[in-house]
Amino acid sequence: MESKRHQQRVVVDIAVTLTTVLDSQDARIIDLSQHGAQIVDASMPAGAKFQIEYMGQTVYAHCMWSEVDRMGVRFPFDLSDGPLYDRLMMAAPTARLSSSSTPQPGMKASFTAPFSDFSAMPSRRAASPGFGRRNSA
């Protein structure tokens, strides 16, 4: 079974505030990509549209699925800058993510090893100096 995701999500732990027209609630993002996230400690009905607030940045989101204490969301606009994007880039275990590196249908994602098993990853050398970031060689 093939995944519909074009990019693997990165494991993170980011405290955010979710805002709807009627309410605001604290939550945490536990995995993140440029296209979406999984959020815990809050839930909204599937189909709900809301905002994610993080360090002055507002990211619009659409709830794709929901359970009692978690939900999966999609971003209508890819993350490409701002504090949430910076956290994604710092947490990314491989090369920088970019919309230009998004695999096309039929192509495999560049990162398929489990996050806990870095020994399965090929060694990579940084193409340019940068604190905490790896570039594909």
Side-chain angles (χ1 to χ4, degrees):
M1 178 162 141
E2 287 191 35
S3 172
K4 292 182 183 180
R5 288 193 186 121
H6 295 290
Q7 290 184 337
Q8 294 294 321
R9 293 203 175 163
V10 176
V11 175
V12 294
D13 188 3
I14 304 170
V16 295
T17 301
L18 309 180
T19 305
T20 65
V21 176
L22 301 173
D23 193 18
S24 182
Q25 54 186 312
D26 293 330
R28 290 181 309 120
I29 295 175
I30 61 167
D31 66 42
L32 179 65
S33 78
Q34 286 180 289
H35 308 294
Q38 182 177 172
I39 300 174
V40 297
D41 300 334
S43 183
M44 295 186 191
K49 295 181 181 179
F50 58 96
Q51 297 176 359
I52 299 171
E53 309 287 336
Y54 177 69
M55 293 182 63
Q57 179 183 24
T58 299
V59 176
Y60 298 100
H62 182 184
C63 181
M64 301 305 293
W65 59 266
S66 178
E67 293 179 0
V68 174
D69 65 340
R70 65 186 59 233
M71 62 184 161
V73 303
R74 183 180 349 175
F75 306 138
F77 306 103
D78 289 352
L79 285 180
S80 59
D81 63 357
L84 204 53
Y85 177 78
D86 293 343
R87 286 289 303 266
L88 173 63
M89 292 296 102
M90 286 189 294
T94 60
R96 290 182 185 152
L97 304 174
S98 70
S99 55
S100 62
S101 68
T102 303
Q104 299 301 316
M107 292 177 64
K108 293 188 179 210
S110 61
F111 181 75
T112 57
F115 292 109
S116 61
D117 185 13
F118 289 105
S119 63
M121 292 175 49
S123 64
R124 298 181 184 268
R125 285 185 19 212
S128 63
F131 180 76
R133 295 187 180 174
R134 294 183 182 168
N135 297 324
S136 47

